[in-house]
């Protein structure tokens, strides 16, 4: 089995992957685009991508790439996320004098209150993953650089954590999707089952979205999330993504059929369990 994740080793996506698959099955990719393209081509059996965070909401690049490639969601993993400020050991005593902080945009955003309070004028660099930020700090010991990321990343790259748990919200979690063509069976605690649907409207007219949502209401299906994203075709054209609590199979298929009958362009991209794994050290 070959499983791809947003790397390098030490990223939060790596933490999700290692708590779900065996480490020897894991292969890092430097970008979400490369990761999803390899999965689309069949090079990977599965890939793991971040989809939503407590503080910052949806990971929009993931949503956009999923709309373009239409993979199948086989599982969801929910992990607690704690952000750490780390520096090269040579600068552990002078960490308040750092000149650059680098990390993934999501990690930076999740730590923005801390950054505003402690480093309002320090340069910020957005980078491909939290682990890539940690690697940059490790690769430049002569520079007063810092990274924001996981304890795993600090250990992986030999960095010193100088401030712990700097995320703006204590109960910070991220949802990750496991994408692939084959169902998964895992002996892990399951919170619930969900389904995710992509759709767009056949025309822009009053009540179009209401008509769609009314179908779910009529069948008493609980929607856990609805979000719109631009189709990147022209201004004002959007697609919608809906997460819902999975009803029995017959009812779900009935709703999908009714949506299609009313000329909604609908794609079911997953009917899957949500896992809350017991975190193990990697």
């Amino acid at each position: 089995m070959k499983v791809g994740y947003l790397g390098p080793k030490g990223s939060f996506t790596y933490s999700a992957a290692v708590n779900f698959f065996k480490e020897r099955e894991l292969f890092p990719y430097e970008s979400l685009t490369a990761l999803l393209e390899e999965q689309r081509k069949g090079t990977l059996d599965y890939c793991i991508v971040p989809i939503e965070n407590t503080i910052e909401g949806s990971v929009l690049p993931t949503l956009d790439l999923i709309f373009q490639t239409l993979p199948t969601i086989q599982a969801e993993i929910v992990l607690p996320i704690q952000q750490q400020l780390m520096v090269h050991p040579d600068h552990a005593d002078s960490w308040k004098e750092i000149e650059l902080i680098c990390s993934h945009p999501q990690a930076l955003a999740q730590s923005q209150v801390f950054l505003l309070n402690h480093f309002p004028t320090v340069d910020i660099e957005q980078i491909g993953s939290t682990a890539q930020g940690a690697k940059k700090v490790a690769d430049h010991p002569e520079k007063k650089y810092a990274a924001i990321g996981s304890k795993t990343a600090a250990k992986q790259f030999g960095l010193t954590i100088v401030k712990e748990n700097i995320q703006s919200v204590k109960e910070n979690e991220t949802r990750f999707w496991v994408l692939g063509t084959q169902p998964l069976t895992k002996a892990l605690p399951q919170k619930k089952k969900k389904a995710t649907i992509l759709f767009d409207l056949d025309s822009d007219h009053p009540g179009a979205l209401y008509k769609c949502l009314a179908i779910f209401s009529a069948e008493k299906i609980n929607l856990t999330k609805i979000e719109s994203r631009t189709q990147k075709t022209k201004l004002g054209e959007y697609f919608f993504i809906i997460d819902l609590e999975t009803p029995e199979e017959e009812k779900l298929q009935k709703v999908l059929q009714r949506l299609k009958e009313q000329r909604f362009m609908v794609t079911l991209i997953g009917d899957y369990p949500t896992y809350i794994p017991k975190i193990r050290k990697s």
Side-chain angles (χ1 to χ4, degrees):
M1 185 182 295
K2 189 174 182 180
V3 180
Y5 68 94
L6 180 63
K9 183 177 178 180
S11 68
F12 286 107
T13 312
Y14 169 79
S15 296
V18 81
N19 277 279
F20 201 80
F21 295 97
K22 297 176 182 177
E23 188 169 8
R24 66 174 180 269
E25 301 169 342
L26 304 180
F27 297 84
Y29 288 82
E30 291 188 356
S31 71
L32 287 170
T33 301
L35 177 58
L36 283 165
E37 176 62 17
E38 291 303 301
Q39 200 278 327
R40 185 190 66 80
K41 293 191 300 186
T43 308
L44 298 171
D45 296 295
Y46 300 98
C47 72
I48 299 181
V49 296
I51 190 65
E52 186 181 22
N53 174 259
T54 302
I55 300 172
E56 278 302 292
S58 294
V59 183
L60 301 181
T62 304
L63 281 183
D64 292 340
L65 287 167
I66 284 176
F67 178 70
Q68 295 168 20
T69 58
L70 296 179
T72 302
I73 307 164
Q74 297 296 347
E76 179 176 273
I77 308 168
V78 179
L79 288 184
I81 302 294
Q82 296 176 327
Q83 303 289 359
Q84 321 297 325
L85 182 71
M86 59 194 75
V87 299
H88 192 276
D90 291 350
H91 305 298
D93 294 331
S94 59
W95 64 270
K96 293 182 181 181
E97 302 170 8
I98 56 178
E99 300 169 352
L100 176 73
I101 301 173
C102 52
S103 191
H104 187 273
Q106 279 272 332
L108 292 168
Q110 290 168 34
S111 310
Q112 60 184 318
V113 174
F114 173 85
L115 294 176
L116 287 171
N117 288 337
H118 293 83
F119 300 103
T121 62
V122 171
D123 289 338
I124 302 294
E125 181 181 351
Q126 296 186 357
I127 207 160
S129 73
T130 52
Q132 288 177 26
K135 183 177 186 301
K136 178 168 183 173
V137 173
D139 288 346
H140 295 86
E142 76 284 1
K143 301 285 189 179
K144 290 187 177 181
Y145 289 170
I148 295 174
S150 67
K151 291 181 179 179
T152 302
K155 181 179 179 181
Q156 174 72 19
F157 295 100
L159 302 182
T160 300
I161 295 173
V162 292
K163 290 295 288 185
E164 294 187 339
N165 302 337
I166 64 172
Q167 68 277 359
S168 302
V169 174
K170 183 178 179 181
E171 301 298 329
N172 187 30
E173 294 180 320
T174 293
R175 299 164 54 209
F176 299 85
W177 280 347
V178 182
L179 308 176
T181 58
Q182 298 299 318
L184 284 162
T185 302
K186 288 288 179 179
L188 294 172
Q190 292 187 25
K191 187 175 181 180
K192 56 186 174 182
K193 285 206 67 179
K194 296 169 63 177
T196 296
I197 295 170
L198 294 179
F199 76 94
D200 56 32
L201 308 177
D202 65 322
S203 61
D204 185 11
H205 61 273
L209 180 58
Y210 168 78
K211 289 179 181 178
C212 171
L213 299 181
I215 294 173
F216 292 98
S217 177
E219 295 297 331
K220 295 181 171 55
I221 295 176
N222 185 39
L223 307 183
T224 60
K225 181 180 179 182
I226 178 169
E227 185 165 1
S228 64
R229 286 292 294 155
T230 175
Q231 293 192 25
K232 296 178 173 55
T233 49
K234 65 180 182 180
L235 194 63
E237 291 191 343
Y238 301 90
F239 73 90
F240 295 84
I241 183 166
I242 288 180
D243 292 345
L244 54 98
E245 292 181 359
T246 306
E248 57 270 22
E249 179 65 22
E250 182 178 341
K251 183 179 287 189
L252 179 60
Q253 293 303 318
K254 179 181 178 181
V255 166
L256 293 175
Q257 183 59 37
R258 287 190 62 192
L259 288 168
K260 292 175 182 177
E261 288 173 354
Q262 295 197 23
R263 299 179 64 187
F264 292 105
M265 299 178 66
V266 182
T267 303
L268 175 68
I269 60 170
D271 183 1
Y272 52 91
T274 293
Y275 292 97
I276 314 292
K278 182 178 180 180
I279 307 302
R280 70 172 188 261
K281 294 182 179 180
S282 53

